[in-house]
Amino acid sequence: MAPDSTPQHAFITGGGSGIGLACATRFLEDGARVTIMGRNHDKLIAAQQSLSSLGEVDVVAGDVANEDDVRSAVETAHAHLPLTIAIANAGVGTAAPVTAMDQRAWNEVLEVNLTGTFHTFKHAGLAISAAGGGAMCAVSSIAGIRSHRLMSAYCSSKAGIDMLVQVTADEMGARNVRVNSVRPGLVETEISAQLRNSDAILGDYLDCMPIQRVGTVEDVAGAIHFLCGPEATWITGVNLSVDGGHHLRRGPNLQA
């Protein structure tokens, strides 16, 4: 992580499961303190218990779409130990044709995925800057750069995240805060279960990948760990594809 002996503290949204939980595991194994945030308090407590043997884990329940929740969570975490790392991982999805998309569903995806990342960068960025610097990383998606039919809201939110990363990196470099994103392909998470459970859709995804396998949360957490670590201290504003090479080809056919 940091190239010096500064105590590390990672704030992770959507930290109760999936990629967020895998990130928490990696940072704890490095000796960092971790604070995980999510909407489901029971899931957070279960995650905390599963991680407790690795190090110090705090939990804060809240919705990243609510700026007051994020502000309060960051302030609580920062008061325990100054934040040096933030992972904007919380996300949701929906599927419908553009012409049939319910506006409430559209709004929820944009508010959680894109606005939630903005809230995290805003408040965690201020805290990390005040602590002397560090790194932030957002979880984007292959869907941010390749069309996924029926996923207009999700695709738009992830494309927005990647540009937000670039602008925030441009602004925060002078404050010694690096900002990057990872673009996972199809990964074994709760949000992708419906896609993976369809043989036709899964097969089409795999046909789009030079490395033909579904990704693991550890694959993505490893990339995030690198981008937030000492090996990447001259890397900022990068949107890194972690997708088995899927970005080299086309988007999947979700109507398969």
Side-chain angles (χ1 to χ4, degrees):
M1 290 178 295
D4 55 31
S5 59
T6 303
Q8 300 298 297
H9 186 182
F11 176 77
I12 303 171
T13 69
S17 63
I19 292 170
L21 184 59
C23 288
T25 301
R26 287 298 301 266
F27 291 123
L28 285 166
E29 288 172 344
D30 277 349
R33 183 170 185 155
V34 169
T35 296
I36 55 176
M37 178 183 179
R39 293 190 288 192
N40 188 319
H41 183 262
D42 291 341
K43 183 181 288 186
L44 291 175
I45 294 301
Q48 183 185 44
Q49 292 172 346
S50 72
L51 295 168
S52 60
S53 64
L54 298 177
E56 197 160 8
V57 183
D58 299 305
V59 302
V60 183
D63 185 351
V64 294
N66 184 312
E67 184 169 6
D68 287 339
D69 283 2
V70 177
R71 180 190 295 108
S72 176
V74 167
E75 289 176 351
T76 298
H78 193 65
H80 290 156
L81 180 71
L83 288 180
T84 56
I85 296 167
I87 311 302
N89 168 67
V92 296
T94 190
V98 171
T99 52
M101 175 69 67
D102 179 82
Q103 185 173 340
R104 287 173 296 182
W106 170 276
N107 289 345
E108 181 187 12
V109 173
L110 270 291
E111 287 168 2
V112 173
N113 296 1
L114 180 54
T115 304
T117 298
F118 158 67
H119 290 156
T120 303
F121 281 0
K122 177 180 178 179
H123 294 287
L126 287 169
I128 293 170
S129 175
M136 300 194 291
C137 189
V139 177
S140 179
S141 172
I142 176 67
I145 55 171
R146 292 290 178 268
S147 172
H148 284 46
R149 277 172 274 182
L150 308 183
M151 292 174 60
S152 58
Y154 189 78
C155 291
S156 298
S157 72
K158 294 301 186 176
I161 285 172
D162 282 342
M163 181 51 69
L164 177 62
V165 162
Q166 293 179 30
V167 174
T168 308
D170 198 4
E171 294 179 357
M172 297 293 288
R175 301 188 189 187
N176 197 32
V177 179
R178 298 183 299 103
V179 188
N180 297 290
S181 70
V182 292
R183 290 173 175 154
L186 186 65
V187 176
E188 293 179 5
T189 62
E190 293 177 12
I191 199 172
S192 73
Q194 189 170 353
L195 300 175
R196 292 183 287 107
N197 290 339
S198 165
D199 290 341
I201 293 174
L202 176 59
D204 195 57
Y205 261 105
L206 294 175
D207 285 344
C208 295
M209 300 179 196
I211 301 175
Q212 293 191 330
R213 69 169 174 85
V214 175
T216 68
V217 292
E218 289 79 16
D219 289 327
V220 183
I224 293 170
H225 181 264
F226 163 73
L227 288 172
C228 293
E231 300 87 353
T233 53
W234 209 38
I235 298 175
T236 196
V238 165
N239 310 124
L240 177 64
S241 293
V242 186
D243 60 5
H246 188 166
H247 64 281
L248 299 172
R249 298 183 179 175
R250 61 172 173 81
N253 179 12
L254 301 188
Q255 297 171 305

